[in-house]
Amino acid sequence: MECPHLSSSVCIAPDSAKFPLGSPSSWCCSVCRSNKSPWVCLTCSSVHCGRYVNGHAKKHYEDAQIPLTNHKKSEKQEKVQHTVCMDCSSYSTYCYRCDDFVVNDTKLGLVQKVREHLQNLENSAFTADRHRKRKLLENSSLNSKLLKVNGSTTAICATGLRNLGNTCFMNAILQSLSNIEQFCCYFKELPAVELRNGKTAGRRTYHTRSQGDNNVSLVEEFRKTLCALWQGSQTAFSPESLFYVVWKIMPNFRGYQQQDAHEFMRYLLDHLHLELQGGFNGVSHSAILQENSTLTSSNKCCINGASTVVTAIFGGILQNEVNCLICGTESRKFDPFLDLSLDIPSQFRNKRSKNQETGPVCSLRDCLRSFTDLEELDETELYMCHKCKKKQKSTKKFWIQKLPKVLCLHLKRFHWTAYLRNKVDTYVEFPLRGLDMKCYLLEPENSGPENCLYDLAAVVVHHGSGVGSGHYTAYATHEGRWFHFNDSTVTLTDEDTVVKAKAYILFYVERQARAGSEKL
């Protein structure tokens, strides 16, 4: 929201010497000395803990209001309100009088200047700490072995994404996409777009609503976010600018409620596709596609117009066959897809863990077979037969006519009942390597053996019981090692841990495509 209290509450100098030493994300509360969730007052630069720790930041605001309620406010008192503070981890701004997060700035841009200064302090502290760790690691010949074995060791080269308020759904998807090499490299190689001119040109952009809608570019903010990951220059990156653009162009994701990661992924890919169709920074998307020899015309799948990198990487084609059970008329329809949503077969829905003894374990192949098996449509889905000229009972079957370069499989874990949306918490076994999709193809004889084999690149996991609650994390492989991405925390893990995860979204990369990308 736009806060009317900034001019009277933001009083500190952006580079104030009153700030504590060290990285802002580890500053301690001046009352209880807790370093969890530190918030800095933008009036007096004092640091206190957030409301979910001991709430001293809010108490600091409440104590400052007592003199104003006991006697007539003077002009000087009006200016000193201590109502606005900044999260030292995510750099988001909050007003206690408005009781909401703030997206605007003062006329002089003081909030943005403080934000940039805090980030510089964070990066400086991290660089010094990273240099110290590197010195220690260089002296240890067992370094690489320790990194691979110790699953709790923080990964130095990887960058986490700060949670901006229930944005774990977005963070998990962004980390997964950043580890799909061909897709990620395309965006990182795009030319940069400077969205601001004049005195602020060249500075990092934190969008505010005062900038106007004309400056919003999802492709640009997505590109910046991908570039910030895997550089190893900071422990965590705040995707605040990208989240602001998401708010602007995807109204369903406004606010700080928990959202569905799969729904967000589909909206994200669809909007990236639409924006790329219109060209980017004066460079036609088709021209950039042609420069990449691996994205040939045979790999493109057009959805809603011309092909882009989104459809070239994730696009496949389904053939939908419907047969009338009365007259035998067959209807065929071809549908492009970016991902496949798979039901977990009903006979497995009580199987909650891999080690549970009763009954067989549900596998990804079971879900794929359920998706492609011949199915008789029920009474609510009667098929309009053009030969019988009325709705008739029929059967339906899916075939995959064209496989994508990256096969995205969504396991349908959330189901609506009469009043609630319940979660299917069944464990589904999935392979890390060699997922063979040949038996699901319409014409398998026309595909080479390698073209049908897929290796796992990333997994999104939902922890909790409901779609509107819980938490999302992601596993992804990078340069032969598996990482666990939990918002701002990134840790090395192993394959045994990954295969035990209750997957929600699986990203499989075509084996031939991966081999080709490693040669480049």
Side-chain angles (χ1 to χ4, degrees), residues 321-469:
E321 290 182 359
V322 180
N323 284 275
C324 176
L325 290 177
I326 306 302
C327 68
T329 300
E330 183 181 272
S331 173
R332 294 181 181 179
K333 181 182 177 183
F334 294 95
D335 297 312
F337 68 87
L338 295 179
D339 70 308
L340 297 178
S341 292
L342 311 178
D343 279 305
I344 297 174
S346 56
Q347 66 266 31
F348 297 108
R349 291 190 182 177
N350 292 325
K351 183 79 174 177
R352 291 179 172 268
S353 69
K354 183 177 181 180
N355 300 323
Q356 189 173 325
E357 294 181 1
T358 57
V361 175
C362 179
S363 69
L364 186 59
R365 187 168 292 278
D366 292 318
C367 300
L368 285 164
R369 190 181 298 116
S370 175
F371 179 78
T372 56
D373 275 352
L374 187 69
E375 172 191 4
E376 184 173 338
L377 301 177
D378 59 31
E379 296 290 335
T380 61
E381 300 177 292
L382 292 178
Y383 163 66
M384 183 64 189
C385 178
H386 297 291
K387 187 174 181 179
C388 298
K389 299 190 182 302
K390 63 178 181 178
K391 291 185 176 181
Q392 301 282 27
K393 286 187 176 181
S394 59
T395 60
K396 179 179 73 173
K397 180 174 177 60
F398 285 118
W399 293 96
I400 299 177
Q401 190 202 43
K402 174 190 171 295
L403 284 166
K405 300 185 82 61
V406 174
L407 179 64
C408 179
L409 301 176
H410 161 235
L411 298 179
K412 294 162 74 171
R413 292 196 174 273
F414 300 106
H415 288 267
W416 285 104
T417 60
Y419 304 101
L420 300 171
R421 196 179 187 189
N422 293 329
K423 182 181 178 183
V424 179
D425 205 29
T426 303
Y427 170 77
V428 177
E429 195 173 47
F430 54 90
L432 291 180
R433 301 175 190 86
L435 174 65
D436 192 349
M437 295 295 294
K438 192 167 188 175
C439 60
Y440 309 108
L441 284 175
L442 180 64
E443 298 175 341
E445 65 277 3
N446 294 336
S447 299
E450 286 292 319
N451 291 350
C452 302
L453 293 178
Y454 286 81
D455 298 324
L456 189 65
V459 187
V460 174
V461 181
H462 177 268
H463 311 267
S465 58
V467 66
S469 59

Side-chain angles (χ1 to χ4, degrees), residues 2-11 14 102-113 196 199-200 203 208 210-211:
E2 294 194 359
C3 173
H5 310 114
L6 293 183
S7 59
S8 59
S9 298
V10 183
C11 307
V102 177
V103 298
N104 58 318
D105 203 340
T106 65
K107 292 181 179 179
L108 298 176
L110 292 178
V111 174
Q112 169 64 16
K113 291 177 181 178
R196 298 193 294 180
K199 295 181 180 179
T200 58
R203 296 182 186 173
T208 63
S210 59
Q211 286 180 280

Side-chain angles (χ1 to χ4, degrees), residues 44-186:
C44 63
S45 74
S46 59
V47 177
H48 297 89
C49 59
R51 65 175 67 192
Y52 297 115
V53 184
N54 292 314
H56 288 125
K58 185 177 182 182
K59 192 174 187 304
H60 172 70
Y61 154 72
E62 291 171 345
D63 292 343
Q65 308 313 303
I66 294 175
L68 299 179
T69 58
N70 292 337
H71 47 74
K72 189 176 180 181
K73 302 175 186 178
S74 67
E75 184 180 351
K76 185 175 181 180
Q77 287 173 321
E78 181 72 27
K79 291 183 179 179
V80 184
Q81 296 181 2
H82 303 266
T83 62
V84 180
C85 57
M86 182 176 289
D87 187 338
C88 299
S89 297
S90 67
Y91 311 121
S92 55
T93 310
Y94 192 88
C95 175
Y96 282 107
R97 286 188 68 183
C98 299
D99 196 23
D100 203 350
F101 286 92
V102 177
V103 298
N104 58 318
D105 203 340
T106 65
K107 292 181 179 179
L108 298 176
L110 292 178
V111 174
Q112 169 64 16
K113 291 177 181 178
V114 171
R115 181 182 287 117
E116 291 177 349
H117 181 65
L118 293 186
Q119 189 175 35
N120 288 336
L121 291 177
E122 183 77 27
N123 291 340
S124 298
F126 172 72
T127 301
D129 184 59
R130 185 166 172 262
H131 180 72
R132 180 182 61 82
K133 286 182 179 179
R134 183 175 289 174
K135 284 283 187 182
L136 292 173
L137 292 175
E138 285 174 353
N139 295 330
S140 174
S141 60
L142 299 175
N143 172 44
S144 58
K145 186 177 293 186
L146 288 172
L147 281 174
K148 292 179 181 179
V149 173
N150 188 358
S152 62
T153 304
T154 302
I156 296 175
C157 61
T159 300
L161 287 169
R162 292 191 176 92
N163 194 314
L164 306 178
N166 283 326
T167 57
C168 56
F169 68 93
M170 178 178 73
N171 292 346
I173 294 298
L174 292 176
Q175 293 286 15
S176 298
L177 295 177
S178 76
N179 285 283
I180 297 173
E181 186 176 357
Q182 201 173 9
F183 184 70
C184 179
C185 287
Y186 171 87

Side-chain angles (χ1 to χ4, degrees), residues 272-279 285 303-308:
L272 288 172
H273 173 64
L274 290 173
E275 189 171 321
L276 287 169
Q277 281 183 322
H285 69 273
I303 298 176
N304 297 328
S307 175
T308 66

